[in-house]
Amino acid sequence: MTEYKEKCNLILAPMQGLVDDVMRDLLTRIGGFDECVSEFVRITHTVHSRQTWLKYVPEIANGNKTFAGTPCTVQLLGSDADNMAVNALEAVRFGADKIDLNFGCPAPTVNKHKGGAVLLKEPELIYRIVRTLRRRLPPHIPITAKMRLGYEDKSPALECAAAIAAAGACALTVHARTKNEGYEPPAHWEWIRKIRDSVDIPVTANGDVFTLEDYLEIKAVSGCDSVMLGRGAVIRPYLARQIKQYEGGREARDADFAEISGWINLFFDLCTMKEANGKYPVARLKQWLGMMKKEFAEAQELFDAVRAVKDAGEVKRILSAFEEKMSAG
């Protein structure tokens, strides 16, 4: 079996309904990320077609890389080990070169159908899923996993991590909360260290990294060199780049909003390229601005300007005028 060496230290999180292929494209263009992970592809009783895989992970058709060349991993979610293996083999046949397994999604509808974090109640099932995929996939295809600390409480965290490692996963990402804790602060970074110290595979730390200072603290507390960024990288789209500047001994700079407004314009253009005639571009823009406005007064101003606008052409006009205003200072 080919040994998987942990190379990356900054990974873009797979956040369902938020970090889709367009957001992955934009954030990896801005820079700083070594890898990204797709939104989960849900596995139930069917075998997905190539069209379905490319819908969720179009990077497969580009050598499993985003436009900027950042590697993208395909994430699966489900509880039927056999059908997950069958689908993973199909994804590999269509070009996927790495598989990640979701044991952390807290969404009630997902958990109700025995997917995501609810599986943390059953470490033996987690073991069976990972083991089944590891045995059936080609040895050169890395299998990784992402988990939370538990469902109601943290008591199964070490057992679940041990099951993932023993079953053959080559790396593990830990979101430092239980399902019931959702996204409420604080994230329990000290538990990531407990897990890291208990397994013999690389562990990536995840949860509440919104600033460079958070990044430095999660590394210190968890003992991990690899960190996954989620909401923090969406709210501050320059965060990964800033971290890399710091790690490279360069000045770690914030981006001004003139630069950010250019990214917003590009994001809207990319959304329009994906779906020109639907609600998608405007809805995704408002979603993103709705997150950024808590951090940037300019994002609040832009959000207010487009809040009631539904026509994509009018939104584009507003964005372009706003970018010109920002650039003029």
Side-chain angles (χ1 to χ4, degrees):
M1 175 179 169
T2 302
E3 184 180 358
Y4 174 66
K5 302 285 188 183
E6 181 61 59
K7 300 187 293 292
C8 54
N9 62 345
L10 275 186
I11 306 172
L12 177 58
M15 299 196 72
Q16 197 71 10
L18 179 61
V19 184
D20 64 357
D21 60 296
V22 179
M23 185 62 80
R24 293 193 297 270
D25 182 356
L26 179 80
L27 293 180
T28 56
R29 288 187 198 218
I30 294 168
F33 286 106
D34 299 291
E35 184 179 350
C36 57
V37 183
S38 76
E39 296 173 287
F40 65 72
V41 181
R42 188 177 302 194
I43 308 300
T44 53
H45 305 294
T46 59
V47 179
H48 292 312
S49 66
R50 182 174 185 271
Q51 182 179 5
T52 298
W53 291 108
L54 292 180
K55 173 185 174 183
Y56 290 101
V57 200
E59 292 93 341
I60 290 173
N62 188 43
N64 300 289
K65 290 179 169 60
T66 65
F67 177 85
T70 304
C72 183
T73 297
V74 176
Q75 188 182 76
L76 308 185
L77 178 145
S79 57
D80 183 329
D82 288 331
N83 206 37
M84 289 180 74
V86 170
N87 274 280
L89 279 167
E90 283 295 275
V92 169
R93 183 167 73 89
F94 296 133
D97 61 2
K98 184 178 176 185
I99 300 293
D100 186 68
L101 301 174
N102 183 318
F103 301 120
C105 179
T109 53
V110 169
N111 295 164
K112 180 181 177 182
H113 292 93
K114 208 168 184 181
V118 73
L119 296 175
L120 297 168
K121 293 181 176 182
E122 303 181 60
E124 66 284 353
L125 177 55
I126 286 177
Y127 176 88
R128 188 160 72 247
I129 291 169
V130 178
R131 190 65 176 161
T132 299
L133 268 73
R134 182 63 282 163
R135 284 177 169 170
R136 296 193 193 174
L137 288 177
H140 69 279
I141 300 294
I143 297 174
T144 61
K146 184 168 188 247
M147 61 174 276
R148 283 180 173 245
L149 297 177
Y151 194 79
E152 293 97 352
D153 61 73
K154 302 172 184 64
S155 59
L158 296 181
E159 186 179 356
C160 288
I164 288 167
C170 60
L172 172 64
T173 298
V174 179
H175 181 114
R177 293 185 180 90
T178 64
K179 182 272 178 190
N180 281 357
E181 288 169 337
Y183 293 98
E184 289 298 313
H188 307 283
W189 296 339
E190 70 279 3
W191 271 88
I192 304 177
R193 180 176 282 273
K194 292 180 184 180
I195 291 172
R196 192 209 68 153
D197 291 345
S198 72
V199 297
D200 60 359
I201 58 175
V203 174
T204 296
N206 174 233
D208 276 6
V209 180
F210 292 97
T211 64
L212 174 60
E213 290 72 25
D214 293 338
Y215 166 79
L216 296 173
E217 188 174 355
I218 197 175
K219 285 183 70 177
V221 174
S222 70
C224 297
D225 292 322
S226 182
V227 175
M228 177 175 279
L229 307 179
R231 291 169 299 150
V234 176
I235 294 169
R236 293 182 179 86
Y238 55 84
L239 179 59
R241 186 179 74 180
Q242 184 182 52
I243 289 170
K244 278 296 172 66
Q245 288 167 343
Y246 175 88
E247 292 284 18
R250 304 185 301 278
E251 180 188 0
R253 297 183 299 102
D254 290 344
D256 61 29
F257 211 81
E259 187 174 18
I260 294 172
S261 65
W263 297 336
I264 293 170
N265 236 320
L266 174 58
F267 178 72
F268 190 75
D269 289 344
L270 293 171
C271 287
T272 304
M273 286 170 61
K274 178 176 178 176
E275 186 180 314
N277 299 315
K279 298 178 181 178
Y280 173 81
V282 175
R284 291 286 282 128
L285 174 72
K286 291 177 182 178
Q287 178 193 34
W288 189 23
L289 290 174
M291 294 180 70
M292 281 199 292
K293 67 186 175 70
K294 300 165 189 172
E295 177 63 23
F296 302 103
E298 298 92 338
Q300 178 72 66
E301 180 185 345
L302 189 51
F303 180 79
D304 291 341
V306 301
R307 185 201 304 261
V309 182
K310 297 180 180 179
D311 178 71
E314 177 63 12
V315 168
K316 177 62 181 175
R317 188 194 64 76
I318 293 170
L319 293 180
S320 297
F322 191 86
E323 183 180 1
E324 284 182 22
K325 183 176 83 169
M326 289 290 103
S327 298

